[in-house]
Amino acid sequence: MKRNGFLTFQLGVPLAFLCFFSCQNNTSEWTTQEKEQAKKEISLRIDDIVQGAKHLDIEEAMKAYSNSDDFMIINPDGSSNNYQEMKTVNSEVFKQLCSLEFSTIKKEFRFLAKDLVLCTWFGKNNMEFKTGDKLTIASYVGSMLFKKEKGIWSIIYAHESNSTPIII
């Protein structure tokens, strides 16, 4: 009799784990409609960044980023910033520019969980400094981890890289 109880335990525990984890995986599956809606909402958040940069408006450009202790961005030079540091650095850059334009080439999405989406943005960037100098970056890539909180997608982690800026 003790043997049957042990077998039940041996079989029951793995089955319970299997059921638990398979049920959890089912909650992270996305329907085509949910994916399209998330892509649309996240694309609008990215548009906020692009438009904010175009207007040299740091508040508009930062709207899509999560102002939380968990936020981190890895910059093209290998440094990292929290939200406030990123805002300060970009504010100083914006003050030196008379124009900044990001152009989207494409976006790729990876659906990780119901509240997490990884979006990789591929684009290019042109800027003109108040000194008259002009730079172009032919390849600019940003990988952004979006988390949906209170119905809004916000970037909680980002990693940017770019080709060498060229003076034009």
Side-chain angles (χ1 to χ4, degrees):
M1 205 115 157
K2 288 183 182 180
R3 186 176 178 116
N4 286 342
F6 182 70
L7 284 175
T8 302
F9 178 77
Q10 278 186 312
L11 293 174
V13 171
L15 288 174
F17 276 109
L18 180 62
C19 179
F20 176 74
F21 286 111
S22 66
C23 290
Q24 278 199 327
N25 288 338
N26 288 338
T27 63
S28 66
E29 290 180 12
W30 291 74
T31 66
T32 302
Q33 184 178 1
E34 289 171 329
K35 285 180 179 181
E36 291 306 312
Q37 184 63 32
K39 285 180 185 180
K40 180 180 175 184
E41 291 172 11
I42 289 169
S43 292
L44 289 173
R45 302 295 282 165
I46 293 170
D47 289 348
D48 288 340
I49 299 168
V50 171
Q51 288 303 308
K54 181 178 181 176
H55 299 131
L56 300 174
D57 180 341
I58 193 64
E59 297 302 326
E60 184 178 2
M62 294 292 295
K63 283 194 303 190
Y65 296 92
S66 175
N67 184 1
S68 72
D69 292 339
D70 294 331
F71 174 81
M72 179 195 303
I73 185 167
I74 307 299
N75 301 303
D77 67 359
S79 65
S80 66
N81 295 116
N82 64 29
Y83 178 88
Q84 193 54 54
E85 291 166 339
M86 177 186 173
K87 186 174 182 179
T88 300
V89 168
N90 285 324
S91 292
E92 291 305 312
V93 171
F94 282 12
K95 289 177 186 176
Q96 298 174 37
L97 299 173
C98 58
S99 70
L100 175 60
E101 185 175 341
F102 286 93
S103 302
T104 301
I105 295 171
K106 70 177 179 174
K107 292 177 280 217
E108 292 185 3
F109 295 87
R110 302 290 184 270
F111 299 91
L112 307 176
K114 284 293 188 177
D115 66 341
L116 288 175
V117 175
L118 179 65
C119 177
T120 305
W121 180 90
F122 298 85
K124 59 184 180 176
N125 153 343
N126 293 303
M127 62 188 84
E128 183 176 352
F129 291 85
K130 290 180 180 176
T131 61
D133 293 330
K134 295 179 183 180
L135 292 177
T136 188
I137 298 174
S139 178
Y140 200 99
V141 180
S143 294
M144 300 162 281
L145 182 59
F146 281 85
K147 183 172 185 169
K148 192 167 193 175
E149 297 177 311
K150 298 178 185 171
I152 298 172
W153 290 103
S154 296
I155 301 166
I156 60 171
Y157 178 85
H159 190 158
E160 297 180 349
S161 60
N162 58 263
S163 59
T164 303
I166 298 170
I167 299 171
I168 50 175

